[in-house]
Amino acid sequence: MTAHLEHTNFTVANVDATAEWMCDLFGWQIRWAGPSIDNGRSVHVGTKDHYLALYSPGNPHKATDNNYKTIGGLNHVGVVVDDIDAMEEKVKAAGFVPENHADYEPGKRFYFHDHDGIEYEVVAYS
């Protein structure tokens, strides 16, 4: 039996605001929202098969180091799109700054950071 990734869970400052821009930008939906551990709140946002579990304890601590140099750090979240140019325009319209563009085999990609400093990779395969 082969396993597949169902979800990933990470901490953000405001789960509802983050879920809202994800729904607008990526066309996802909120699958569940409610109270969670440590008097926090969680929102599950994504598709029927895969989602991100967004969590906030209400008063999260800011990241203190470069995640790429921190064991257990979240480096980036990757999303696949059909039309990378259209998605880049949506990313800009949402107030994010696309950067680090690259064409590579087998596709194209760019990155952006959200309001919490989380990096997203957007990729379209040829």
Side-chain angles (χ1 to χ4, degrees), residues 3 11 21 29 31 39 51 57 65 74 80 105 111 116:
T11 301
W21 74 252
Q29 68 253 347
R31 296 170 37 126
N39 295 315
Y51 67 95
D65 202 357
L74 172 68
V80 177
E105 198 57 43
Y111 296 81
D116 291 310

Side-chain angles (χ1 to χ4, degrees), residues 16-113:
D16 295 302
T18 300
E20 182 178 351
W21 74 252
M22 287 181 167
C23 288
D24 291 344
L25 197 61
F26 300 139
W28 293 347
Q29 68 253 347
I30 294 173
R31 296 170 37 126
W32 176 85
S36 55
I37 63 169
D38 295 329
N39 295 315
R41 178 168 168 73
S42 290
V43 174
H44 295 179
V45 60
T47 68
K48 69 180 183 70
D49 297 317
H50 311 286
Y51 67 95
L52 297 176
L54 308 174
Y55 168 74
S56 179
N59 190 17
H61 301 283
K62 291 281 185 190
T64 58
D65 202 357
N66 179 340
N67 285 340
Y68 280 90
K69 296 181 180 179
T70 303
I71 294 173
L74 172 68
N75 296 325
H76 66 259
V77 176
V79 295
V80 177
V81 299
D82 292 329
D83 186 337
I84 198 161
D85 296 324
M87 181 56 69
E88 183 169 2
E89 292 307 313
K90 288 178 75 173
V91 165
K92 289 178 188 175
F96 302 121
V97 179
E99 57 192 19
N100 197 13
H101 295 74
D103 291 345
Y104 71 109
E105 198 57 43
K108 292 177 151 186
R109 68 175 175 226
F110 69 87
Y111 296 81
F112 70 93
H113 288 83

